[in-house]
Amino acid sequence: TPNEEGMLDSLIPIFEEETGVTVQLITAGTGELYQRIRSEVGNPQGDVMFGGGAAQANANLELWAEFTSANDGEMVDAGKNTTGQFTPYQADGSNLLVNLEELAEVGVEITSYADLLQPELMGKIAYGDPTASSSAFAQLTNMLKAVGGDYESEESWGYVSALITQLDGVMIGSSSQVAQDVANGEYVVALTYEPLSLNLVLSGAPVEIVYPSEGAAFLPATIQIIEGGPNQAAAEAFIDFITSEVGQTIISEETAGRPLRDGIVKPGLPAFSEFATITEDGAYVSENRDAIVERFRSVLEAQY
């Protein structure tokens, strides 16, 4: 799992208590975990991939066993298992996270993606590697759609090129470190995601969530069973738990995630009606993920 410690600490002990199943956690970035799962095809050492985005899960369907939870009918549309191989369990949104103390020193305002291109922010923006991190890739597709209206326009990729210049050659390997570095004051602003950002707000760090005025995309985070894993029944029980009323209520009340079970609302976060949102073309992104990643690499190599 790439999920943050707070979510794991809230969910895993209750699952173990309710089922008697003992969980061994392997935590790393999404890209690293996918590489590990792929390297173990034929002799998998894990049972469940818990976390990461739907586009990445959909692009790697051969890694997952078929399973649809009995709770599927209780989920909102965005939380339904439409492929039979991966189960959405919460909505992760892309956002900016601003360190208010550092921002005051720089003396600029940040309300949008466009604001990140201000000269005062050169070298002061934290961003992950979209070729490896699912949250950084979600930010990439979010900004492409939000800035230029689609994933191929020159306006969209011109913005990405300008942003890479602003990063001053630095991309951070860990998605959690991206936000943490901003909370620690090492950067002014992070391109990150909502659950991690809310955890840092609630921790008392001098940070604020900013939803870019061009629009924020909210995408399902997913959970899936690794094909051929050694503990199929326990894996199925884990997905059933995460999508149950108990599991989804824990996500709502004790973690920073937005649950996807019908009737369970999220306290402490603005409703979607309170800020600009965009709709990602999930089918396009899934089908063209490799092409988007390669174009990003080419833009990066052209500058460095």
Side-chain angles (χ1 to χ4, degrees):
T1 178
N3 282 325
E4 60 271 16
E5 186 177 354
M7 170 170 282
L8 301 174
D9 288 347
S10 297
L11 288 165
I12 302 301
I14 305 301
F15 169 71
E16 291 181 321
E17 180 181 324
E18 286 203 354
T19 63
V21 174
T22 299
V23 175
Q24 179 184 0
L25 290 170
I26 303 296
T27 57
T30 307
E32 180 182 340
L33 292 168
Y34 268 72
Q35 289 176 357
R36 177 167 179 166
I37 293 167
R38 187 166 292 283
S39 73
E40 294 173 354
V41 167
N43 185 30
Q45 302 302 298
D47 297 292
V48 171
M49 175 66 186
F50 179 32
Q56 195 166 7
N58 195 49
N60 292 273
L61 289 178
E62 68 278 7
L63 298 178
W64 320 127
E66 291 190 8
F67 176 70
T68 299
S69 172
N71 296 318
D72 194 63
E74 303 302 320
M75 308 298 280
V76 300
D77 286 347
K80 293 190 184 302
N81 178 350
T82 59
T83 65
Q85 289 177 271
F86 60 84
T87 300
Y89 65 91
Q90 72 174 31
D92 283 347
S94 293
N95 60 261
L96 309 178
L97 185 69
V98 175
N99 185 304
L100 297 174
E101 295 174 354
E102 298 299 320
L103 185 66
E105 288 193 17
V106 173
V108 299
E109 185 177 20
I110 299 175
T111 63
S112 64
Y113 281 127
D115 287 340
L116 300 183
L117 303 185
Q118 296 174 92
E120 295 88 346
L121 294 176
M122 167 72 79
K124 300 181 185 298
I125 301 168
Y127 184 39
D129 179 1
T131 69
S133 163
S134 64
S135 62
F137 180 78
Q139 274 284 356
L140 175 60
T141 57
N142 192 143
M143 68 181 79
L144 288 171
K145 183 72 180 291
V147 171
D150 63 46
Y151 305 100
E152 299 180 8
S153 74
E154 292 305 315
E155 181 181 0
S156 298
W157 284 99
Y159 174 80
V160 170
S161 178
L163 179 65
I164 289 173
T165 299
Q166 286 288 84
L167 298 178
D168 204 20
V170 177
M171 287 189 297
I172 299 169
S174 164
S175 57
S176 60
Q177 198 63 44
V178 170
Q180 190 62 58
D181 283 352
V182 167
N184 293 342
E186 297 177 42
Y187 296 89
V188 173
V189 56
L191 292 107
T192 182
Y193 60 102
E194 190 181 61
L196 181 57
S197 299
L198 181 59
N199 276 336
L200 289 169
V201 170
L202 296 176
S203 77
V207 293
E208 179 178 77
I209 296 172
V210 173
Y211 301 96
S213 60
E214 296 92 343
F218 277 74
L219 310 174
T222 65
I223 179 171
Q224 46 269 2
I225 297 174
I226 298 169
E227 177 69 39
N231 300 289
Q232 173 89 12
E236 293 179 0
F238 187 69
I239 293 180
D240 283 341
F241 171 75
I242 296 299
T243 56
S244 70
E245 185 173 1
V246 171
Q248 291 283 289
T249 299
I250 291 172
I251 289 174
S252 173
E253 296 180 354
E254 299 183 32
T255 82
R258 287 184 187 255
L260 289 174
R261 189 176 171 105
D262 194 23
I264 299 179
V265 297
K266 178 69 184 179
L269 286 173
F272 291 139
S273 60
E274 295 180 35
F275 56 91
T277 60
I278 59 171
T279 301
E280 177 162 289
D281 185 341
Y284 176 92
V285 170
S286 179
E287 184 176 342
N288 293 277
R289 179 184 176 84
D290 290 345
I292 294 170
V293 166
E294 284 307 312
R295 186 162 182 181
F296 180 85
R297 283 199 182 104
S298 68
V299 172
L300 185 65
E301 290 169 2
Q303 296 199 35
Y304 300 104

